[in-house]
Amino acid sequence: MPEISPEWTAELKKGSVQLCLLALLAKEQKYGFQIIRELRDRSDGFFDLKEGTLYPALRRLEERGFVESHWVEPESGNPRKYYRITERGRRALSEGRELWERMTAGARRVLEAAR
Amino acid sequence: MTSVDSYLDEVSRGLMGMDAAVRKDILRELRSHLVESVAANGGSVSAAVAATGEPRVVARRYRDLYGFGVTYRALFVAIAGVLAIFTVPVLTATDEFLFPLYLSTPFLVADIAFLIWVSVAAGNRAGLAAGTAGCVGRFAALGSAFLFLSTGPLLTFEGLTLFVIVSALMVVIGWAPGRARRAWRRPSADL
């Protein structure tokens, strides 16, 4: 889809990616490539971002204390860095989820009324 | 055709000055990612690299997050302070001089340009520290004129006023550009 302005869509998407990343980590720890694939698949390709930019986003969550990470190095094969949600991250996720529900419901009512 | 190594080299260049341990960890994670990606797409390094994104863009995201490491920030502050010593033409006194006026002006221009760069690239806090170091450096230069010139510095009211104003400006110039950049920055293109 051609964009009117990349800044405009970036602003709208901003924040939702972080929340989705956190949600993907709610049940189990995952490594970067796995998170990227799940984000793309489950969003039906909506979050089809440059993969290299997802890693700084994950680390931003880590800087906020919402996730923590550790390396897993198998005897043979590729070492992987796993991310795991923290207690603080769980609270941030449930707060974010509630905010998201209210925001989308509110926005939908406004958008529908103006159609 | 791009190899994983040359891609990582390019990212690494974009991470220059970042804390060494963080930088190493970032590159290790990106290498791990590229290995996974190549394995998943049937062995194409160029496709994996393309999906990962421009190395400069990727590096900039990390830079936005981590900025410069402590070592580099300390280095910037030191450079700004040392440069500032040579920005004080007050050091010329009659026929004695420690540092002449015609040389101090380019140093002043260079130090101000450097402070603006530090403020924008390393953030307004590093810029503020560098600007303060610049201010201190100028007072140190004036002080050394009292110490090393037998007649002391040649002080005029205008000269001293200008000295104080420019010294104070250094602090502001170190702080303001970085603060302005933070306030006006557009959201990054895809997150």
Side-chain angles (χ1 to χ4, degrees):
Chain A
M1 192 171 67
E3 294 180 28
I4 293 287
S5 136
E7 281 84 23
W8 164 240
T9 40
E11 238 170 283
L12 294 176
K13 276 188 195 177
K14 214 180 170 191
S16 59
V17 175
Q18 298 254 314
L19 183 59
C20 288
L21 289 176
L22 209 48
L24 285 172
L25 292 168
K27 293 213 179 80
E28 52 173 351
Q29 60 168 14
K30 285 168 187 161
Y31 59 96
F33 190 69
Q34 187 181 8
I35 298 170
I36 287 166
R37 228 173 12 199
E38 288 184 17
L39 185 65
R40 189 173 45 218
D41 294 350
R42 290 196 197 166
S43 70
D44 279 334
F46 178 73
F47 290 121
D48 190 18
L49 312 164
K50 284 292 176 201
E51 294 165 0
T53 61
L54 254 305
Y55 289 92
L58 278 169
R59 281 166 183 265
R60 201 171 281 278
L61 289 175
E62 190 172 22
E63 290 291 302
R64 288 189 165 134
F66 295 170
V67 303
E68 53 193 18
S69 65
H70 65 278
W71 281 95
V72 173
E73 294 160 69
E75 296 264 315
S76 64
N78 194 27
R80 287 165 173 169
K81 193 177 192 189
Y82 278 85
Y83 291 85
R84 181 167 51 209
I85 196 164
T86 61
E87 236 354 272
R88 188 174 148 78
R90 287 194 190 286
R91 289 206 303 276
L93 175 59
S94 74
E95 193 181 301
R97 195 189 288 276
E98 195 190 325
L99 189 78
W100 179 258
E101 299 295 342
R102 280 168 46 206
M103 187 171 84
T104 47
R108 188 172 297 122
R109 281 195 295 275
V110 173
L111 290 174
E112 288 301 322
R115 199 189 277 277
Chain B
M1 287 305 291
T2 342
S3 75
V4 168
D5 285 323
S6 70
Y7 180 84
L8 291 177
D9 278 347
E10 253 186 274
V11 176
S12 181
R13 270 200 293 281
L15 304 179
M16 197 136 80
M18 209 174 268
D19 181 84
V22 171
R23 188 176 171 188
K24 206 174 142 197
D25 193 72
I26 288 169
L27 293 171
R28 192 172 180 219
E29 185 173 36
L30 286 177
R31 179 182 295 280
S32 165
H33 165 80
L34 287 169
V35 169
E36 300 281 349
S37 183
V38 169
N41 75 15
S44 166
V45 172
S46 50
V49 162
T52 306
E54 284 287 320
R56 277 169 49 199
V57 175
V58 173
R60 204 179 310 130
R61 293 298 161 73
Y62 283 111
R63 175 76 70 198
D64 287 346
L65 183 59
Y66 292 117
F68 283 89
V70 180
T71 320
Y72 268 72
R73 273 179 291 158
L75 186 68
F76 295 157
V77 171
I79 291 173
V82 172
L83 269 181
I85 293 173
F86 301 102
T87 63
V88 185
V90 183
L91 294 195
T92 323
T94 60
D95 54 342
E96 271 186 290
F97 66 88
L98 292 178
F99 203 74
L101 173 64
Y102 65 88
L103 268 178
S104 74
T105 312
F107 270 95
L108 183 62
V109 172
D111 204 18
I112 286 174
F114 182 67
L115 284 177
I116 293 171
W117 178 81
V118 171
S119 188
V120 169
N124 57 317
R125 283 169 62 187
L128 181 64
T132 308
C135 185
V136 170
R138 283 172 62 81
F139 276 94
L142 185 63
S144 67
F146 281 106
L147 279 177
F148 298 119
L149 296 175
S150 51
T151 54
L154 198 62
L155 289 178
T156 62
F157 177 73
E158 290 80 7
L160 198 60
T161 310
L162 194 64
F163 170 82
V164 172
I165 290 173
V166 172
S167 302
L169 263 181
M170 289 224 154
V171 179
V172 178
I173 289 169
W175 174 79
R179 187 65 193 81
R181 178 173 182 255
R182 243 176 58 188
W184 295 333
R185 189 159 59 186
R186 292 169 167 194
S188 49
D190 55 2
L191 280 192

